[in-house]
């Protein structure tokens, strides 16, 4: 029943937590292996990672918009610069990797929540979270100084927040009055269709 998949249930919270915990463990394991690898240190001038590290040094020295190829995309360089200012240059790669792991863990949990808000079953929501938790490319990027993990987190967070907000003056609740004594929940397909059409919730018939 739709009522069993609302945010007051508690089941989705447990699904969210254990999928997030698996994502965290896998990424911490990979980060630990990567630290002992020669690939952990970026090659100076050899790839994007080295460019981001160089930009972080500029930001840590006070340049909010560092000069270079990423001058007009300052969010991730500024974040790395803040990490370097707080933790120091020697710990930059380690702290940035740990931050990436935590952000990707949060993304996994948000995917579960997003799926449930769209009307998915607990099993389908858990499957979506697990697919991302064990997605090799996501695991790799979470541990290195690249903005991909931050971008995915912000996009998923934005989508989750949008589904929570009231739409066109209507309450974005999964329930609506039918004109009778008790509200009747929308079906998952109705919720998806309504939101794709701009969030206009018509009154159900019957």
């Amino acid at each position: 029943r739709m009522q069993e998949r609302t945010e007051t249930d508690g089941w989705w919270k447990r699904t969210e937590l254990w999928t997030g915990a698996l994502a965290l463990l896998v990424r911490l394991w990979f980060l630990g292996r990567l630290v002992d690898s020669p690939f952990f240190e970026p090659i100076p001038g050899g790839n994007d990672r080295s460019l981001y590290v160089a930009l972080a040094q500029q930001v840590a020295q006070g340049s909010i918009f560092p000069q270079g190829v990423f001058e007009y995309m300052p969010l991730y360089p500024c974040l790395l610069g803040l990490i370097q200012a707080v933790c120091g240059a020697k710990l930059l790669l380690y702290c940035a990797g740990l931050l990436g792991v935590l952000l990707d863990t949060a993304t996994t949990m948000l995917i579960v929540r997003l799926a449930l808000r769209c009307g998915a079953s607990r099993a389908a929501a858990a499957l979506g979270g697990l697919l991302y938790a064990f997605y090799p490319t996501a695991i790799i990027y979470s541990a290195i100084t690249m903005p991909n993990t931050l971008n995915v987190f912000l996009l998923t967070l934005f989508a989750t927040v949008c589904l929570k907000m009231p739409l066109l003056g209507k309450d974005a609740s999964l329930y609506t009055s039918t004109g009778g004594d008790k509200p009747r929940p929308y079906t998952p397909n109705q919720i998806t269709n309504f939101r794709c059409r701009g969030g206009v919730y018509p009154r159900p018939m019957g």
Side-chain angles (χ1 to χ4, degrees):
R1 295 174 56 189
M2 196 66 193
Q3 187 175 2
E4 295 176 353
R5 296 200 292 271
T6 63
E7 294 180 23
T8 59
D9 191 309
W11 245 102
W12 69 270
K13 293 181 180 179
R14 289 192 286 272
T15 305
E16 188 179 46
L17 288 176
W18 66 257
T19 52
L22 288 174
L24 178 63
L25 290 175
V26 171
R27 282 155 178 76
L28 286 176
W29 172 82
F30 178 79
L31 180 61
R33 297 293 300 269
L34 184 64
V35 166
D36 297 328
S37 166
F39 296 103
F40 184 65
E41 295 287 340
I43 302 172
N47 51 36
D48 286 352
R49 292 183 63 206
S50 61
L51 294 176
Y52 280 113
V53 171
L55 291 173
Q57 295 173 357
Q58 294 183 42
V59 173
Q61 294 170 1
S63 177
I64 299 179
F65 294 97
Q67 300 294 319
V69 66
F70 299 115
E71 180 177 358
Y72 299 103
M73 297 185 291
L75 180 58
Y76 190 67
C78 286
L79 180 60
L80 287 182
L82 178 62
I83 294 174
Q84 179 168 325
V86 174
C87 303
K90 292 183 178 180
L91 295 177
L92 172 62
L93 298 179
Y94 301 94
C95 294
L98 182 59
L99 176 63
V101 167
L102 294 177
L103 286 176
D104 229 27
T105 299
T107 298
T108 304
M109 299 170 71
L110 284 173
I111 288 172
V112 175
R113 179 182 297 188
L114 186 61
L116 290 168
R117 284 186 180 172
C118 288
S121 66
R122 298 189 194 101
L127 178 60
L130 289 174
L131 286 174
Y132 188 80
F134 292 96
Y135 182 44
T137 303
I139 295 172
I140 294 171
Y141 274 105
S142 70
I144 60 178
T145 50
M146 290 289 289
N148 304 65
T149 297
L150 177 63
N151 295 342
V152 174
F153 168 74
L154 292 177
L155 180 62
T156 310
L157 178 63
F158 177 76
T160 305
V161 170
C162 284
L163 286 180
K164 182 66 175 178
M165 295 173 61
L167 303 173
L168 297 181
K170 301 286 186 178
D171 185 0
S173 170
L174 302 184
Y175 294 86
T176 186
S177 174
T178 61
D181 295 333
K182 295 182 179 180
R184 187 182 70 182
Y186 285 117
T187 66
N189 288 336
Q190 285 177 313
I191 295 168
T192 302
N193 291 335
F194 296 159
R195 282 172 174 159
C196 288
R197 290 184 294 196
V200 180
Y201 281 69
R203 185 180 297 277
M205 302 298 294

